[in-house]
Amino acid sequence: MSWSLDLLCPLPPCVELGGPPLSGLLWTVLLLFLWYCYRVGSDPPSCRNHAGGLKSGSVLSRSSSRCPVDPGCSAPKASPAIAMETGEEEGGESYLTPVLSHAPFPSQAAAGSRKLYAALQEYAKRYSWAGMGRIHKGLRIQARMNDRSSIQKPHLFYLPDVPSIPFYSRDAHRHDIEVLEASYPIILAEFQAVYQRGIDTKLGWIYQGPKAVFPLYNAGVCVVGNCRACPCTYRTLLSLRTFISSNSLGAAGFWLLGPGASLAGAYGPTNTRLRCHLGLQTPAQCELVVGGEPQCWSEGHCLLVDDSFLHTLSHNGGAEDGPRVIFSVDLWHPNVAAAERQALDYIFAPEQ
């Protein structure tokens, strides 16, 4: 006995196109679609993942294109690599290659670099690897950085891919510069009060080569006694937006350089900061040369310097000119992101 589809659900007459009626073709497509939906709906979810066709870069295993006979089949666990950024270096090496492949830190790295690398890993476990690509790369290449001859060679930490020039315009930190320059009279008055007491280590002064320094912050640590002697200057520091006050890369204080003294070529510890010099007493014969570019200080005005470049300073005036005096403050480099600043605060936490 034969059954007609018209008995199940009569369809309106359709125009024949030189072959079977169009209604028969529509029923065939409908039945095939229903059969496909039934098969897909009856498969376990984990098996559908395999049968659905994964991309070649999937974290799931490429060797199994179907589920095993075991009814409890499940997809292999995803690699933790998918949650981390993988910016590529030259030569195809990822920023986070050691983390993702468990490769060791460079064996030629100094003990200090290995300690910083361990601190970065600890930070990432506690918080996140997000935004840590440049820091990770910088720690790995630091050993090579110390061995090469360059006009810019920070001896402690180099952050790659940061635009660097010896001197920056005031636009790089306009707010903080305007705050410091507006506070120039009171900063100068508090310095003069401290200077008249005498330059003595018992009174909070430190000698650094040819310089005498009265620090308010030293390697990220507030020098309480000195800050109490200069309360207005201390409050000015706290009002700055980019002052590095939480890690050992940052410092602030009064710097003196006596007549006839000079500082030979030196490099700062990192390119993640800019050193801001507010001129307090600047004789005409004083000069600062950074990266081969000479500059002079000016009283009441700020100078932004990247001291990771080779730099020298000199005071060629006479005894009658008195010392050159600046108020120096370390500010974050404008191209260091907020996540990187937080990580560097953790990695270079001051040793109390």
Side-chain angles (χ1 to χ4, degrees):
M1 179 177 180
S2 62
W3 294 86
S4 172
L5 294 176
D6 294 337
L7 295 177
L8 300 178
C9 183
L11 295 175
C14 298
V15 179
E16 295 188 3
L17 302 176
L22 184 58
S23 60
L25 179 61
L26 292 176
W27 271 105
T28 303
V29 172
L30 177 61
L31 290 175
L32 289 174
F33 175 73
L34 293 175
W35 174 83
Y36 172 78
C37 292
Y38 168 77
R39 288 297 305 269
V40 172
S42 63
D43 288 337
S46 58
C47 296
R48 288 201 305 270
N49 288 341
H50 285 268
L54 297 173
K55 294 180 180 181
S56 59
S58 171
V59 179
L60 301 178
S61 173
R62 304 174 189 175
S63 60
S64 58
S65 59
R66 64 184 67 182
C67 282
V69 178
D70 184 358
C73 84
S74 60
K77 294 183 179 180
S79 166
I82 61 175
M84 302 180 183
E85 63 185 53
T86 55
E88 296 296 326
E89 296 184 48
E90 295 181 2
E93 183 183 6
S94 167
Y95 283 165
L96 303 183
T97 294
V99 179
L100 306 185
S101 65
H102 307 288
F105 196 66
S107 58
Q108 71 274 19
S113 296
R114 290 196 295 269
K115 181 180 178 180
L116 296 178
Y117 179 72
L120 173 62
Q121 289 185 313
E122 183 180 344
Y123 172 85
K125 290 178 182 177
R126 180 173 298 188
Y127 300 102
S128 171
W129 278 108
M132 297 299 103
R134 291 198 300 180
I135 294 180
H136 190 280
K137 180 181 178 181
L139 291 176
R140 287 183 57 79
I141 67 175
Q142 184 65 45
R144 299 195 300 268
M145 172 69 62
N146 291 335
D147 293 336
R148 75 179 187 178
S149 176
S150 174
I151 196 170
Q152 184 187 28
K153 189 170 64 175
H155 58 78
L156 184 59
F157 175 69
Y158 174 75
L159 186 65
D161 307 321
V162 172
S164 297
I165 54 177
F167 295 97
Y168 280 75
S169 71
R170 38 189 310 117
D171 290 334
H173 285 301
R174 178 170 293 277
H175 171 271
D176 288 353
I177 285 179
E178 290 178 349
V179 169
L180 288 169
E181 292 180 349
S183 303
Y184 163 72
I186 188 62
I187 293 176
L188 176 61
E190 289 190 336
F191 161 74
Q192 291 173 341
V194 168
Y195 182 68
Q196 289 172 1
R197 296 188 312 179
I199 301 178
D200 193 325
T201 55
K202 296 180 181 179
L203 297 175
W205 289 85
I206 298 175
Y207 287 96
Q208 296 180 353
K211 303 191 301 291
V213 181
F214 188 80
L216 302 186
Y217 275 80
N218 187 21
V221 178
C222 177
V223 183
V224 178
N226 291 358
C227 289
R228 286 175 179 168
C230 305
C232 294
T233 304
Y234 172 68
R235 285 194 293 269
T236 299
L237 280 177
L238 297 184
S239 69
L240 302 181
R241 295 176 179 174
T242 58
F243 172 45
I244 304 176
S245 60
S246 302
N247 69 57
S248 59
L249 302 176
F254 301 107
W255 289 11
L256 274 68
L257 186 68
S262 63
L263 176 67
Y267 297 95
T270 180
N271 67 328
T272 60
R273 74 181 190 190
L274 295 181
R275 183 150 273 183
C276 181
H277 293 176
L278 173 64
L280 300 182
Q281 183 174 314
T282 58
Q285 299 301 317
C286 296
E287 185 179 56
L288 172 67
V289 180
V290 181
E293 298 183 21
Q295 286 282 355
C296 294
W297 296 276
S298 177
E299 295 178 2
H301 298 280
C302 290
L303 192 63
L304 277 179
V305 181
D306 185 346
D307 71 336
S308 64
F309 284 85
L310 181 66
H311 60 276
T312 63
L313 55 94
S314 59
H315 183 349
N316 299 317
E320 67 279 3
D321 295 320
R324 180 232 59 179
V325 184
I326 62 170
F327 182 58
S328 176
V329 184
D330 289 333
L331 308 176
W332 283 109
H333 192 291
N335 293 99
V336 179
E340 294 172 324
R341 296 179 186 184
Q342 179 178 327
L344 292 173
D345 281 344
Y346 185 90
I347 296 170
F348 293 97
E351 296 182 2
Q352 300 283 355

